[in-house]
Amino acid sequence: MKTKALKRIAEALERMAPAPLATPDFDVADAYVWQTEPDALQPVAKVSRVDISLLIGVDRARDTLLENTRQFARGLPANNALLWGARGMGKSSLVKAVHAAVTAEGAPLKIVEMQREDLPSVARLLNLLRGSAHRFVLFCDDLSFSHDDEHYKSLKAVLDGGIEGRPENVLFYATSNRRHLMPRDMIENERSSAINPSEATEEKVSLSDRFGLWLGFHPCSQDEYLAMIQGYCTEYGIEIDGETLRAEAIEWQATRGSRSGRVAWQFFTDLAGRKGVKLS
């Protein structure tokens, strides 16, 4: 009787357990999105991105990230990268544009995007990618942590790799508005209330130190803002008087109360709509 009961329990557990994740066919696409519940790598047929030539005012970050990615794609040593700084200045756009530029050069490089909320599953994803002959940029957009957030511990599996080490064929790129991935006021609060202030925040603050590349993004000047819009007009064939364009673009940014690459694109989207020009 006991043997039969144990057999029924074992069979029930087998039915409840998820089937092992099959290795995806990485030849069907250059970009994938990691999803959980259940685990799956979904191919992305068309990535939403702009051409790297249209990214204005980020020359140093562009050149550094492009060369780092080229090295990695060729099988050479390369660093994980943290792109941090001003909102709307093209951090995530640069990651996607650099990937497109490198693959256009003939490198068989894949990009996999994962959400911050899915970081606890990163070990499973790394094990899946580790066994592939392809090379991958693992990309996490808008990365940050709060004081009670334990997800940062999962990130160490990507940056440090634990006992196995980070897979040689995986590189990690992240974007964040915060240089240390956590709010400044939270850092100060923990330091002021802890028995040992230096140890209280060292583990979280030092997380950003594990990125070999720190690429800073700063608010753009008015000239850079206007140059972005003019670049879009040239790319999409929109003709408009220079003075009219300048006046409308400046008025648009004034109503938004900010000036950035995102605001430039939003103005251009409005302009293209008024001119009857499709962007896709």
Side-chain angles (χ1 to χ4, degrees):
M1 293 292 293
K2 290 183 178 180
T3 302
K4 291 183 178 179
L6 291 173
K7 184 177 180 181
R8 287 198 300 271
I9 293 172
E11 290 173 348
L13 289 174
E14 286 183 3
R15 289 193 297 270
M16 293 171 59
L21 182 61
T23 302
D25 182 0
F26 288 116
D27 293 324
V28 301
D30 290 328
Y32 296 81
V33 173
W34 172 247
Q35 298 178 345
T36 59
E37 298 181 2
D39 290 353
L41 273 169
Q42 298 293 339
V44 179
K46 184 178 180 180
V47 178
S48 175
R49 57 189 168 202
V50 299
D51 189 86
I52 196 169
S53 64
L54 295 177
L55 297 176
I56 307 296
V58 293
D59 295 7
R60 181 180 177 277
R62 178 199 62 206
D63 295 345
T64 302
L65 192 67
L66 184 57
E67 185 56 33
N68 190 67
T69 309
R70 283 172 174 156
Q71 290 173 196
F72 174 70
R74 295 198 298 265
L76 298 173
N79 277 303
N80 298 313
L82 174 63
L83 290 71
W84 68 275
R87 293 175 293 126
M89 278 306 297
K91 298 184 292 293
S92 60
S93 294
L94 180 59
V95 173
K96 292 182 286 186
V98 161
H99 170 255
V102 172
T103 55
E105 294 171 354
L109 181 66
K110 311 296 180 180
I111 187 169
V112 177
E113 182 176 19
M114 76 177 305
Q115 301 300 315
R116 188 197 70 87
E117 293 77 13
D118 294 329
L119 278 173
S121 69
V122 72
R124 303 196 299 273
L125 175 57
L126 291 180
N127 285 334
L128 185 65
L129 302 182
R130 189 189 301 271
S132 173
H134 295 278
R135 303 184 74 75
F136 302 90
V137 170
L138 181 55
F139 172 47
C140 188
D141 192 21
D142 198 19
L143 184 63
S144 63
F145 304 100
S146 59
H147 71 281
D148 57 350
D149 195 335
E150 297 294 315
H151 286 7
Y152 73 93
K153 294 182 179 179
S154 301
L155 181 56
K156 290 183 178 180
V158 187
L159 302 177
D160 292 339
I163 193 170
E164 288 184 295
R166 174 170 56 86
E168 184 273 337
N169 65 330
V170 177
L171 198 62
F172 186 68
Y173 287 172
T175 69
S176 177
N177 295 333
R178 303 165 181 164
R179 183 175 181 177
H180 290 299
L181 304 178
M182 56 191 292
R184 181 178 296 275
D185 60 343
M186 191 180 81
I187 296 174
E188 297 303 325
N189 288 340
E190 290 199 24
R191 282 177 176 163
S192 63
S193 61
I195 295 175
N196 190 326
S198 62
E199 290 182 0
T201 57
E202 182 177 358
E203 184 177 28
K204 291 180 182 177
V205 173
S206 66
L207 184 62
S208 60
D209 292 338
R210 290 176 165 84
F211 289 89
L213 289 180
W214 283 7
L215 302 177
F217 288 69
H218 308 286
C220 63
S221 67
Q222 182 166 286
D223 287 344
E224 289 171 334
Y225 167 73
L226 294 171
M228 293 173 189
I229 296 171
Q230 185 59 62
Y232 293 140
C233 289
T234 301
E235 177 72 13
Y236 290 95
I238 292 180
E239 296 184 2
I240 182 173
D241 175 72
E243 288 302 315
T244 302
L245 178 64
R246 178 184 178 87
E248 290 184 358
I250 292 176
E251 181 183 2
W252 181 276
Q253 63 113 92
T255 62
R256 292 298 303 271
S258 64
R259 187 170 54 223
S260 69
R262 181 178 295 132
V263 173
W265 175 255
Q266 290 167 345
F267 166 77
F268 176 73
T269 300
D270 177 75
L271 177 63
R274 287 188 280 117
K275 293 290 186 180
V277 176
K278 294 184 177 181
L279 302 182
S280 59

